[in-house]
Amino acid sequence: MAGGGAGPGALLAVLALRALGAAAHPQCLDFRPPFRPPQPLRLCAQYSAFGCCTPERDAELARRFGALAARVDAAEWAACAGYALDLLCQECSPYAAHLYDAEDPSTPLRTVPGLCEDYCLDMWQTCRGLFRHLSPDRELWALEGNRAKFCRYLSLDDADYCFPRLLVNKNLNSNLGRVVADAKGCLQLCLEEVANGLRNPVAMVHARDGTHRFFVAEQVGLVWAYLPDRSRLDKPFLNVSRAVLTSPWEGDERGFLGLAFHPGFRHNGKLYVYYSVGSGFDEWIRISEFRVSADDMNTVDHGSERIILEIEEPASNHNGGQLLFGDDGYLYIFTGDGGMAGDPFGKFGNAQNKSALLGKVLRIDVDHNERGPLYRIPRDNPFVGDPAARPEVYALGVRNMWRCSFDRGDPATGAGRGRLFCGDVGQNKFEEVDLVERGRNYGWRAREGYECYDRKLCANASLDDVLPIFAYPHKLGKSVTGGYVYRGCEYPNLNGLYIFGDFMSGRLMSLRENLETGQWQYSEICMGRGQTCAFPGLINNYYPHIISFAEDEAGELYFMSTGVPSATAARGVVYKVIDPSRRAPPGKCRIQPAQVKVRSHLIRFVPKEKFIRRAESTPRPPARAPTQAPRRRRPTAAAPAPTPRPARPTPRPARPTRRPGGRRGGGRRRGRPGTADPAPHEGAVRLVRPAGLSPGRGRVEVFAGGRWGTVCDDAWDTKAAAVVCRQLGFAHAARATKRAEFGEGRALPILLDDVRCAGSERNLLECTHAGVGTHNCGHQEDAGVVCSHQDPDL
């Protein structure tokens, strides 16, 4: 059926399994990404590898093609059948939305795909009568006698997408159907907002009961139930806020930290929680069992609490907080090392002490605990029978594992099922991702990442510690948040990709295993630039403090982040991760949730986040981080290569290594001087603030060595802020911000770091500091203050 001009043959063959470059935007007429049909198409076979038609849709187009053949004169059909096939099959093109001007759901579709001028002019010559049978558009019919106007009417504003030129456009076809990477290799994904207005959402879990509900826990001790349509029940599922120990302080690591439903929850109604408690100066972590209410499946019976295990916490940080059930049915508990710096407890620290429960992965059996002990020890726990070890210990050498997950395994082969991934928060230099296995030692405090931390302990040949599968330096991020291996149905390209993040830098990152070498290959994840995320309902920005990751019951991937790292600030959002380059065939991932009886009012979900059109990816990726462990040596292993600091400005919270904060990711406006000093003197300061902020608020800049520069300090405190405020004529320092909350001084040098003031100094140069121009920090750590004439304590 070869038609005149450029027929469907050679040009369409170019398309099969080619792929989308960074400038392209594949989209179907249903406003979603293309897919690989489950069976080959019969009429539009050129789109069998990738496109927008199911076999059912292809059969409908075949019926229309047959009806055309019956209506059109036989002689004309002989010359024009190829054109008819071309035009009908463009509904199956990966770029159908562009060809039919369908990117905007509020505007009417074209009835004929947009055509390139030379193709249209050739077609008009012999087959213009075909359009009366293809299109009901009478305006098009009226132009049939005017070749130029006719083809102008069928042209597209964006000529890159006209048919058939798009078939041989290298920018459109270089990586079609694959996850798009920008010029620096940063994978471009998109997001969908799922829930908002949450106070530090630390966990999102499902009950594995077929209802496809999801439960989001806030750090203050409330858990909310959401239905599959994302509406929230107005009555909390669980409320232990009166018992939970936390505070409004930014970066407080205590609070409600973990939640897990028993694998048999559908039948026994049991769930387990992990939270901080305290009395006076004593603090401890508690793992408790609850049962769901007999009267309301969306509410816990708060009187059913049974305390399974309590562990004393010698400090307020490094509280761990993960609970997981494995395929073996046992409960896994992930504890921190007890806090402070360098695990100073005992001769070798808690993490290396097998008789301590801190700094460990624990495994216990909570089945059949209605009578007798609240939990039992699995027989195959590695240290059963060792008099020097607690039998609950499953793995040791853990600093503060924050967010762990079991791999569901490849949906087709089951490969990888049961692997346990954890992000372990580092001390001074490195963050790491570990594959946790029975009885293994993960090195802390002897080792941090790939390097020795305690050299004497690291040199001990009996340590037998396991190196992480990936570690990254603190120029890339300073508090890892472990994630999940994607095993969902909706986005086949992501299968096998371990996606995780960093709480401090706001980076989304990924690892993919090289099955031949066993090494894990790193790629940063960016929010899609240009049109990449321009699908209805998708966004390309998120709050930067990434608190936790989650799977829903179907295996789709989510993460939670916040704009303010305080347990009382309702700035948390749940995001679903979306691959804009490819989806599963329509209908393949359909779920049928079990019925949920609702007794309380429902709060309908209203999304608040917006798509932001950007010319560049966000965040811009740095140079590649280390992707594999160095060769092991004693007493120290080689350090990973340093990675340049992130280009994207992201706030960073205070000293504690865990919990939420900051503004929306995606950069900040440059500040402007809040005070002017025409003749600055050595040690003068000024506040630089974005437009709209009141005087007395801003990033601190200092004049030293004959130039203005920024102050960057990990431990910037109110004493140093008081010096700045007094220099500026304010009586009080209302707040010292320990991150670049008011913008970054990226165009200026960093002049001061490690500033320690008594509060009585006349200027910052009189305080102790690392030295002018001597620093080890990035602009995302620039110091800021809020000055006031009123005493903030009154």
Side-chain angles (χ1 to χ4, degrees):
M1 299 183 192
L11 283 174
L12 290 172
V14 176
L15 182 65
L17 284 185
R18 285 225 177 157
L20 168 76
H25 185 238
Q27 185 176 351
C28 300
L29 294 179
D30 62 358
F31 315 115
R32 301 194 60 204
F35 52 89
R36 182 180 185 127
Q39 295 96 33
L41 307 182
R42 300 187 66 180
L43 181 73
C44 304
Q46 66 271 30
Y47 295 114
S48 288
F50 193 66
C52 290
C53 283
T54 61
E56 293 77 15
R57 183 61 182 160
D58 181 64
E60 171 59 27
L61 291 173
R63 285 190 287 272
R64 286 171 57 187
F65 185 77
L68 273 175
R71 290 198 302 267
V72 177
D73 177 78
E76 184 181 0
W77 185 248
C80 301
Y83 284 116
L85 182 63
D86 278 355
L87 299 182
L88 285 172
C89 284
Q90 294 323 297
E91 292 185 25
C92 302
S93 168
Y95 299 107
H98 298 275
L99 286 163
Y100 288 87
D101 280 342
E103 302 100 310
D104 184 351
S106 64
T107 59
L109 287 175
R110 285 172 172 259
T111 57
V112 176
L115 303 181
C116 301
E117 184 179 18
D118 52 352
Y119 179 90
C120 178
L121 293 176
D122 286 343
M123 184 177 182
W124 182 90
Q125 198 70 38
T126 54
C127 298
R128 56 185 177 273
L130 188 65
F131 287 91
R132 288 182 173 269
H133 305 286
L134 277 169
S135 170
D137 186 349
R138 294 186 176 273
E139 190 174 349
L140 177 62
W141 297 359
L143 297 175
E144 190 177 289
N146 188 317
R147 181 182 180 186
K149 289 184 178 180
F150 182 86
C151 289
R152 201 155 42 239
Y153 186 83
L154 291 177
S155 65
L156 287 176
D157 290 337
D158 189 346
D160 285 341
Y161 287 98
C162 69
F163 179 82
R165 188 182 303 159
L166 84 167
L167 301 177
V168 290
N169 185 323
K170 291 183 179 179
N171 285 335
L172 298 181
N173 295 309
S174 60
N175 283 301
L176 186 62
R178 301 175 189 169
V179 178
V180 180
D182 68 9
K184 295 186 178 181
C186 197
L187 303 180
Q188 296 188 61
L189 298 179
C190 306
L191 303 174
E192 185 178 359
E193 185 183 359
V194 172
N196 52 39
L198 293 156
R199 293 167 294 183
N200 277 10
V202 294
M204 170 182 159
V205 299
H206 60 88
R208 293 196 266 194
D209 62 353
T211 64
H212 289 268
R213 292 174 295 172
F214 59 93
F215 301 83
V216 179
E218 295 179 317
Q219 189 178 353
V220 290
L222 278 79
V223 178
W224 301 97
Y226 290 79
L227 300 184
D229 66 358
R230 299 178 185 173
S231 58
R232 190 185 88 182
L233 280 72
D234 69 345
K235 181 180 179 181
F237 175 72
L238 174 68
N239 184 354
V240 290
S241 57
R242 297 183 68 176
V244 167
L245 174 65
T246 189
S247 75
W249 304 337
E250 295 185 4
D252 192 342
E253 300 182 26
R254 302 166 301 177
F256 190 99
L257 303 176
L259 170 68
F261 285 83
H262 192 282
F265 173 78
R266 187 198 305 251
H267 307 292
N268 62 28
K270 289 184 178 181
L271 61 143
Y272 297 82
V273 299
Y274 186 128
Y275 61 94
S276 304
V277 291
S279 177
F281 292 101
D282 297 324
E283 298 180 9
W284 60 95
I285 55 176
R286 173 181 292 168
I287 290 88
S288 286
E289 176 188 275
F290 285 89
R291 288 180 182 268
V292 73
S293 170
D295 299 324
D296 187 352
M297 66 186 299
N298 294 304
T299 304
V300 163
D301 177 359
H302 290 80
S304 68
E305 181 175 15
R306 303 168 75 204
I307 298 172
I308 300 295
L309 179 66
E310 289 186 335
I311 306 171
E312 184 181 353
E313 280 283 351
S316 295
N317 57 344
H318 302 186
N319 300 291
Q322 182 79 54
L323 294 177
L324 292 174
F325 278 96
D327 286 344
D328 52 18
Y330 298 135
L331 178 63
Y332 290 72
I333 303 168
F334 301 80
T335 65
D337 66 7
M340 301 181 70
D343 193 6
F345 308 104
K347 185 176 181 180
F348 300 116
N350 281 324
Q352 290 298 324
N353 181 1
K354 294 178 185 177
S355 66
L357 295 182
L358 292 171
K360 306 294 188 301
V361 179
L362 311 177
R363 184 173 71 154
I364 61 176
D365 182 357
V366 292
D367 281 345
H368 312 297
N369 64 352
E370 289 77 12
R371 298 179 181 177
L374 292 168
Y375 68 87
R376 294 177 172 83
I377 304 300
R379 293 180 179 179
D380 62 342
N381 268 14
F383 303 111
V384 170
D386 183 345
R390 288 288 296 261
E392 295 94 339
V393 175
Y394 182 78
L396 68 151
V398 169
R399 184 175 182 272
N400 190 33
M401 283 184 166
W402 182 251
R403 295 313 176 233
C404 303
S405 63
F406 281 105
D407 185 356
R408 292 187 179 208
D410 184 275
T413 66
R417 183 177 178 87
R419 293 183 300 180
L420 178 53
F421 290 81
C422 285
D424 199 3
V425 179
Q427 177 72 44
N428 297 323
K429 294 182 178 181
F430 298 100
E431 305 298 305
E432 65 182 66
V433 177
D434 295 301
L435 264 178
V436 176
E437 297 176 341
R438 175 183 175 274
R440 303 308 300 270
N441 184 345
Y442 290 87
W444 177 250
R445 77 182 184 204
R447 190 181 301 277
E448 179 190 9
Y450 301 135
E451 277 198 343
C452 288
Y453 178 81
D454 182 326
R455 291 186 176 274
K456 289 184 178 179
L457 188 55
C458 188
N460 189 331
S462 66
L463 186 66
D464 191 29
D465 58 320
V466 180
L467 290 177
I469 61 170
F470 178 73
Y472 61 91
H474 277 187
K475 288 188 178 295
L476 192 65
K478 296 190 177 181
S479 186
V480 65
T481 300
Y484 282 80
V485 177
Y486 180 84
R487 299 298 189 185
C489 171
E490 295 179 13
Y491 304 106
N493 285 338
L494 303 185
N495 182 37
L497 195 68
Y498 177 72
I499 296 178
F500 64 108
D502 190 276
F503 170 77
M504 302 284 258
S505 70
R507 291 182 182 274
L508 286 171
M509 298 172 276
S510 72
L511 300 173
R512 188 181 289 278
E513 186 179 17
N514 183 320
L515 298 179
E516 294 182 359
T517 65
Q519 299 295 321
W520 292 82
Q521 299 169 337
Y522 170 84
S523 295
E524 187 162 355
I525 292 174
C526 306
M527 294 294 96
R529 66 180 181 182
Q531 286 189 303
T532 303
C533 297
F535 294 89
L538 300 193
I539 56 175
N540 58 350
N541 56 96
Y542 58 93
Y543 287 105
H545 292 269
I546 301 171
I547 307 173
S548 192
F549 285 78
E551 282 182 323
D552 64 16
E553 195 165 352
E556 299 305 321
L557 182 64
Y558 302 76
F559 72 89
M560 288 140 278
S561 66
T562 186
V564 176
S566 166
T568 58
R571 297 286 297 278
V573 180
V574 180
Y575 304 95
K576 183 178 181 180
V577 176
I578 305 292
D579 174 14
S581 63
R582 180 186 172 195
R583 60 169 156 152
K588 180 180 180 181
C589 304
R590 188 177 294 121
I591 62 172
Q592 294 181 325
Q595 186 175 0
V596 176
K597 294 180 180 179
V598 176
R599 294 180 179 272
S600 61
H601 294 291
L602 292 177
I603 301 172
R604 297 296 176 187
F605 171 63
V606 179
K608 296 180 180 179
E609 308 304 311
K610 304 295 182 184
F611 173 82
I612 299 174
R613 189 167 296 281
R614 293 187 177 93
E616 295 186 356
S617 301
T618 305
R620 186 178 303 159
R624 288 297 177 89
T627 58
Q628 61 184 17
R631 184 174 300 170
R632 220 175 161 77
R633 297 185 298 180
R634 299 285 184 185
T636 182
T643 304
R645 72 173 59 92
R648 168 184 166 187
T650 308
R652 87 179 254 200
R655 177 185 56 79
T657 57
R658 220 7 332 122
R659 230 78 329 150
R663 292 194 188 177
R664 177 92 40 102
R668 290 170 173 66
R669 291 181 292 179
R670 291 259 188 262
R672 63 183 183 192
T675 60
D677 189 351
H681 58 274
E682 190 78 355
V685 295
R686 67 185 182 188
L687 297 188
V688 176
R689 56 191 172 90
L693 284 184
S694 59
R697 301 180 64 187
R699 182 189 70 249
V700 178
E701 290 186 355
V702 61
F703 189 79
R707 58 180 176 169
W708 285 103
T710 60
V711 178
C712 171
D713 193 342
D714 288 337
W716 182 252
D717 58 22
T718 54
K719 291 181 178 179
V723 174
V724 173
C725 293
R726 186 166 54 253
Q727 282 189 260
L728 296 173
F730 291 90
H732 303 283
R735 184 180 176 201
T737 64
K738 303 180 179 72
R739 58 187 185 280
E741 181 169 343
F742 304 109
E744 294 187 5
R746 301 180 65 80
L748 293 173
I750 297 170
L751 292 186
L752 286 186
D753 183 18
D754 294 334
V755 179
R756 298 294 176 268
C757 302
S760 59
E761 293 86 351
R762 289 174 298 175
N763 63 58
L764 290 179
L765 295 185
E766 292 186 359
C767 303
T768 61
H769 53 80
V772 175
T774 302
H775 67 89
N776 63 354
C777 57
H779 275 294
Q780 70 272 21
E781 301 166 21
D782 292 347
V785 302
V786 177
C787 299
S788 174
H789 289 294
Q790 294 183 340
D791 188 340
D793 295 327
L794 294 180

